[in-house]
Amino acid sequence: MTELRTLKVALLGCGNVGAQVARILLDDADMLASRAGARLELVGIAVRNLDAPREVELPRGLFTTDAETLIKDADLVIELMGGIEPARTLILTAMRNGACVVTGNKALVAKDGPTLHEEADKAGVQLSYEAAVAGAIPILRPIRDSLSGDRITRVLGIVNGTTNFILDQMDSTGAQFADALAQAQRLGYAEADPTADVEGYDAASKAAILASLSFHTRFSLDDVYCEGISSVTAADIAAAKDAGFVIKLLAIAEKLTAAGTETGTETGANGDTGVSVRVHPTLLPREHPLAAVRGAFNAVFIEAENAGELMFYGQGAGGKPTASAVMGDLISAARSIVLGGPGRAETTTGQVSALPITAAVTSYYIGLDVADQPGVLAKIARLFADHGVSIEIMRQTIHRDADSNVESAELRIVTHRASEAALAATVEAVKGLDVINSVTSVLRVEGV
Ligand code: NAP
């Protein structure tokens, strides 16, 4: 039997994910060698603090604080430190030195993907980051490889487990946002500073990556419109539930195409064409496949011209699940070295532009607190029609204030698909009506 060659693997970071990757590299060396066609030798692990406790017992001699020296002779570099610097410089240097790089760093890929890809192309090495989107779920490779002979028209993703957990708690227990967040923090689903998750920034990075691969164009974080879940109230959730919807934080990338020119979902507002990439709380019908994604799980729902609808579901975070995605990339990169050539790279031939949020076309849910007077419904319906926004569902519930005995009505409206601009103008005009006490919520709706 011919002796397998050995490839040197440098690991940058030994936290939640890095420790599990190191464990697999050491414990499953024979299995990995048979899959990669080369032995994968872990030559070192760069960390900040040599004395920090580790989740996995690992040989002390592997650890170093000198990442620059560690990557010098590596064939494969796994970056699991997170953050922009020094991760960015280390990845660029490693690729210039001829190493293939695997990373889980969504923030870096979303911010500076084009530079990283350019360097990988120039150096003829593989750069892969399956772990950066939806943890264990194989989603980037299916989009890049399996669907490369199809046209993706829309991607809807639950790509942040923290926010899905919070919204699911609010939905199932009626809790307010702050209480559901505190519960998520107690259970370790949310960090002490939850901003990146609850304000949608983490999901926005993933949306940029999903859009780039799905539409063969490099989108960055700046192209993504982002709204988080911190202003979603228990009342919003209850009203949505009552109307047969669930609220999810969705990362959405969809192609808006001038009617008749090419297959896409539909024409954007004002005839705009391009890709709308956005993250925002979204109402989904409770029978939509994504509505069944509970707790901290992730899922990505894809619509493609020939494949139709596809859904990918699984654990979106956690040391072991994320390490599984890292190992898949590592084996693929190792095989590309063994077989020669850079392996399968992503294509950027799409040349579609990112559209502003005003070009997005979607349905809306609008909650209104209105005076209980005759003619109110007709007045509101006329105003919507005047702004070109047609109403699909309008429901009224009457409330009587026990103290004042004054009756008011709560009106819940779901519109047909309309542009953001038309909806914003409609809401402004509704606020000016004398019969309106307040606009209680405006939320986007998908899947109707
Ligand atoms: P983590 O637990 O915070 O671990 C980070 C590791 O990097 C630590 O070992 C730390 O060293 C090391 N490190 C940080 N800065 C360094 C520096 N300047 N020089 C040397 N070492 C440095 O992070 P993680 O949760 O494993 O996440 C790693 C990456 O995977 C991130 O990009 C994250 O976004 C991504 N990711 C994570 C998950 C998940 O579930 N955790 C899921 C998907 C993607 P010390 O231990 O000495 O402090």
Side-chain angles (χ1 to χ4, degrees):
M1 213 171 80
T2 50
E3 188 78 6
L4 290 179
R5 67 188 280 195
T6 296
L7 299 177
K8 290 182 179 156
V9 180
L11 176 60
L12 310 181
C14 193
N16 295 316
V17 187
Q20 297 302 330
V21 167
R23 175 187 60 80
I24 297 169
L25 277 166
L26 296 176
D27 289 358
D28 289 333
D30 291 342
M31 177 205 58
L32 298 173
S34 70
R35 307 252 169 107
R39 294 205 73 81
L40 304 179
E41 183 195 357
L42 179 59
V43 292
I45 307 172
V47 292
R48 265 179 311 212
N49 176 6
L50 292 174
D51 298 321
R54 306 285 160 203
E55 286 206 8
V56 176
E57 206 168 310
L58 297 162
R60 205 174 158 80
L62 283 175
F63 286 90
T64 174
T65 52
D66 184 358
E68 288 85 1
T69 303
L70 177 63
I71 62 172
K72 268 193 183 137
D73 296 323
D75 300 297
L76 296 150
V77 171
I78 307 171
E79 185 279 305
L80 292 167
M81 302 190 309
I84 303 301
E85 287 294 355
R88 180 180 179 278
T89 302
L90 289 166
I91 288 176
L92 290 173
T93 308
M95 293 195 297
R96 280 184 203 124
N97 291 346
C100 290
V101 170
V102 177
T103 176
N105 196 331
K106 56 227 150 193
L108 177 59
V109 175
K111 186 174 188 290
D112 213 6
T115 311
L116 300 180
H117 280 290
E118 251 166 53
E119 200 54 57
D121 291 347
K122 229 191 280 171
V125 297
Q126 201 164 307
L127 166 70
S128 35
Y129 40 88
E130 182 66 69
V133 179
I137 306 174
I139 183 63
L140 300 188
R141 204 182 302 270
I143 291 176
R144 194 196 63 191
D145 294 351
S146 316
L147 291 168
S148 58
D150 206 338
R151 277 197 196 91
I152 291 175
T153 50
R154 180 185 284 142
V155 179
L156 304 177
I158 295 174
V159 290
N160 181 272
T162 307
T163 46
N164 202 56
F165 178 87
I166 293 170
L167 291 171
D168 190 31
Q169 275 290 111
M170 292 172 76
D171 187 80
S172 56
T173 67
Q176 282 294 357
F177 170 77
D179 298 328
L181 169 61
Q183 168 81 342
Q185 285 170 322
R186 268 194 303 278
L187 294 173
Y189 291 124
E191 296 185 19
D193 177 1
T195 313
D197 291 321
V198 300
E199 296 308 337
Y201 307 143
D202 172 80
S205 292
K206 293 163 180 172
I209 296 170
L210 285 170
S212 299
L213 286 165
S214 301
F215 299 105
H216 305 274
T217 301
R218 282 183 188 142
F219 296 105
S220 80
L221 201 49
D222 295 338
D223 297 316
V224 185
Y225 171 82
C226 179
E227 266 176 45
I229 64 162
S230 54
S231 55
V232 175
T233 62
D236 288 333
I237 301 267
K241 202 170 186 176
D242 201 40
F245 294 97
V246 62
I247 299 183
K248 297 287 188 190
L249 182 72
L250 291 191
I252 301 172
E254 68 178 334
K255 194 164 183 187
L256 301 172
T257 312
T261 55
E262 200 191 333
T263 308
T265 45
E266 60 188 298
T267 309
N270 310 318
D272 299 312
T273 64
V275 174
S276 170
V277 195
R278 51 191 203 268
V279 168
H280 50 68
T282 311
L283 269 73
L284 283 172
R286 293 189 95 84
E287 59 277 8
H288 191 282
L290 285 174
V293 179
R294 308 287 308 273
F297 274 82
N298 280 198
V300 180
F301 186 80
I302 293 180
E303 294 170 26
E305 200 179 305
N306 295 309
E309 296 178 349
L310 302 162
M311 188 152 112
F312 302 79
Y313 170 86
Q315 295 194 60
K320 281 188 187 178
T322 309
S324 163
V326 170
M327 294 313 297
D329 276 351
L330 191 72
I331 299 281
S332 162
R335 289 189 65 77
S336 79
I337 296 173
V338 171
L339 299 172
R344 188 85 160 74
E346 67 179 69
T347 57
T348 52
T349 50
Q351 297 183 346
V352 281
S353 51
L355 294 172
I357 188 65
T358 46
V361 178
T362 182
S363 300
Y364 298 87
Y365 166 86
I366 299 140
L368 300 172
D369 181 352
V370 303
D372 183 25
Q373 291 171 11
V376 169
L377 297 189
K379 232 181 201 178
I380 292 170
R382 201 172 324 115
L383 189 142
F384 271 70
D386 288 349
H387 286 81
V389 178
S390 81
I391 292 175
E392 184 174 358
I393 303 166
M394 190 190 259
R395 271 204 208 134
Q396 192 181 26
T397 318
I398 307 291
H399 300 289
R400 181 185 296 276
D401 187 282
D403 298 330
S404 64
N405 211 25
V406 172
E407 274 191 349
S408 66
E410 192 185 343
L411 210 56
R412 294 170 190 166
I413 295 169
V414 178
T415 73
H416 285 287
R417 287 173 86 79
S419 73
E420 285 273 334
L423 193 275
T426 311
V427 171
E428 268 319 295
V430 164
K431 283 180 186 164
L433 287 177
D434 55 357
V435 292
I436 300 289
N437 297 329
S438 64
V439 176
T440 52
S441 55
V442 179
L443 290 160
R444 299 174 186 89
V445 183
E446 289 291 338
V448 288

